Amino acid sequence: MANKLISEMGLPKSIANIFAARNIHTAKDALSLTEFELTELLDVGLAEVTTAVSSISEISCPPYQTALSLLEQRMHNEYLAGHLPTRLKGLDAALCGGIPFGVITELVGPAGIGKTQFCLKLSLLASLPSSHGGLDGHVIYVDTESKFSSRRMIEIGVNSFPEIFQIEGMAQQMAGRILVLQPTTPTEFSECLQKIKDSLLQHHMKLLVIDSMAALVSGRDGQGQCRQHPLGWHMTFIKSLAEFSRIPVVVTNQVRSHSGDDPFHYSFQDSRQNLDFPTTFDSHLVAALGIPWAHAVSIRLVLESKSGQRFIKLAKSSMSPPVAFTFAISASGISLLHDDGIEMTGPEINGICGQGNSGLFD
């Protein structure tokens, strides 16, 4: 707006011509001088200069926005950006369509709960032909723990979409759309992120999966002690990739034991939900990577096992209240036992249980 031409602002022709004659062509040129300097330079009266400067300021400065209008604009942009449907009816309804484009969605839960199964199914859905409800694109799958299984992915596809996978050559075609990277160190992961950025520009990428983030940043030092690699740069880069490419980015996260010093309440959680509940639970697990990472993700899905049942909880979302669904894992991947979710309150929203987990799937 600072470079907007004064000649295009609709000022009286007499004063506009004087500005042009004195080589003052843009709003920046005029507003960089005081009114007294302009009076002397233009050789016109102060009142005329004041009126002209006021008009230039009003036209060139962006209009103010309220917090409400910014929120409505963000929600509108997110709606237009699109979603990757998970084909889990209740969860898609809670997410207003599925995994949103342009932001980070996190899957967090103990080992064997089904995070990788979820990621494999999403990868298939992103590569599925658009005529069958997919995104008809390519997928980048960052596999940091060597858990990616082509055989399991094809099994999910055959059982979920038999009408597609029975077509000759379709399984190979869809598998060829999924690019798997397997970095084992933070340095290799940083190099992968640069390659991913180039691939997003050059190819028809529709989904980025990082499974798992915690495995990359956790390690041991020379004395065998656990240490945590800094996440700041990676966190910022991944967020920028999501926003720049406008594709869904799904990242899995591990869990760790909850210590007495850990806060169980996240600041993105309504403080009113903490009333009448203790602030810590020794029997629960918590998400790894800490609170800064929790704030970096826009959607957090918690997968847990309790009393012989598996639950997927929508623990963080700007579009939906916290809600939980029971689910099972079969040859066709994850499926909800009930489409109607259970609305949750209190600190158990972010608590993670691992009781009775069979570990047959991950």
Side-chain angles (χ1 to χ4, degrees):
M1 299 297 284
N3 292 322
K4 188 173 180 64
L5 295 176
I6 293 175
S7 60
E8 298 176 353
M9 293 186 180
L11 297 181
K13 193 169 183 179
S14 57
I15 190 68
N17 289 338
I18 295 175
F19 273 110
R22 300 297 188 273
N23 291 321
I24 301 177
H25 300 290
T26 66
K28 181 178 180 180
D29 296 336
L31 298 178
S32 297
L33 302 172
T34 67
E35 292 181 357
F36 292 103
E37 289 173 332
L38 285 172
T39 299
E40 183 177 351
L41 180 62
L42 301 177
D43 194 22
V44 297
L46 179 59
E48 194 172 2
V49 168
T50 300
T51 301
V53 168
S54 178
S55 298
I56 293 171
S57 298
E58 184 177 354
I59 295 171
S60 62
C61 292
Y64 71 86
Q65 291 180 286
T66 65
L68 177 60
S69 66
L70 288 172
L71 176 61
E72 290 174 343
Q73 181 180 349
R74 176 181 176 182
M75 294 176 66
H76 180 68
N77 290 340
E78 289 179 354
Y79 175 78
L80 291 178
H83 297 78
L84 169 60
T86 66
R87 301 292 181 97
L88 304 175
K89 184 177 178 181
L91 182 60
D92 283 343
L95 290 171
C96 300
I99 306 298
F101 293 3
V103 298
I104 299 175
T105 296
E106 178 193 41
L107 306 177
V108 58
I113 194 64
K115 302 186 298 295
T116 296
Q117 303 299 307
F118 203 149
C119 291
L120 292 175
K121 186 67 170 285
L122 290 176
S123 298
L124 282 173
L125 291 170
S127 60
L128 205 66
S130 56
S131 58
H132 289 81
L135 298 183
D136 199 18
H138 289 73
V139 176
I140 298 179
Y141 196 112
V142 182
D143 175 30
T144 68
E145 298 181 284
S146 299
K147 290 184 178 180
F148 182 88
S149 171
S150 298
R151 179 176 296 178
R152 173 59 177 150
M153 186 185 68
I154 297 300
E155 180 187 18
I156 292 174
V158 169
N159 286 276
S160 300
F161 315 107
E163 71 283 2
I164 299 175
F165 277 76
Q166 287 175 0
I167 301 174
E168 185 177 355
M170 181 59 72
Q172 291 85 346
Q173 180 181 336
M174 293 184 64
R177 293 180 174 183
I178 300 174
L179 172 64
V180 181
L181 304 176
Q182 294 183 313
T184 58
T185 67
T187 300
E188 290 179 357
F189 181 54
S190 299
E191 295 172 352
C192 280
L193 288 178
Q194 296 291 350
K195 294 178 181 177
I196 289 170
K197 184 176 181 180
D198 294 337
S199 295
L200 292 174
L201 291 171
Q202 298 171 10
H203 304 288
H204 191 54
M205 295 298 173
K206 291 296 184 179
L207 174 67
L208 169 61
V209 175
I210 302 175
D211 182 21
S212 79
M213 189 72 177
L216 281 168
V217 301
S218 299
R220 296 185 178 274
D221 59 21
Q223 287 72 44
Q225 299 294 319
C226 291
R227 60 188 175 91
Q228 195 91 334
H229 296 283
L231 260 180
W233 180 84
H234 301 90
M235 188 166 56
T236 302
F237 196 91
I238 294 169
K239 285 190 68 174
S240 68
L241 283 179
E243 295 170 359
F244 166 76
S245 62
R246 306 307 300 173
I247 64 171
V249 174
V250 177
V251 178
T252 68
N253 189 4
Q254 298 173 352
V255 297
R256 60 180 176 82
S257 298
H258 168 67
S259 69
D261 296 331
D262 290 332
F264 206 76
H265 174 69
Y266 292 83
S267 61
F268 57 71
Q269 186 180 342
D270 189 345
S271 61
R272 292 173 297 178
Q273 294 169 344
N274 256 355
L275 298 177
D276 302 325
F277 287 91
T279 56
T280 59
F281 288 83
D282 293 336
S283 62
H284 285 71
L285 304 169
V286 295
L289 304 181
I291 291 179
W293 171 256
H295 285 292
V297 303
S298 296
I299 304 291
R300 167 172 277 186
L301 298 174
V302 173
L303 283 72
E304 66 175 4
S305 178
K306 186 176 183 180
S307 302
Q309 283 190 308
R310 297 176 191 249
F311 293 87
I312 181 167
K313 300 189 295 188
L314 179 52
K316 181 185 179 183
S317 170
S318 62
M319 306 294 288
S320 172
V323 62
F325 301 89
T326 54
F327 75 93
I329 301 177
S330 63
S332 60
I334 286 180
S335 60
L336 298 185
L337 299 181
H338 303 283
D339 290 326
D340 295 328
I342 306 166
E343 190 166 342
M344 305 195 70
T345 60
E348 70 268 26
I349 296 165
N350 287 291
I352 305 169
C353 293
Q355 303 169 5
N357 181 25
S358 66
L360 294 177
F361 295 96
D362 194 13

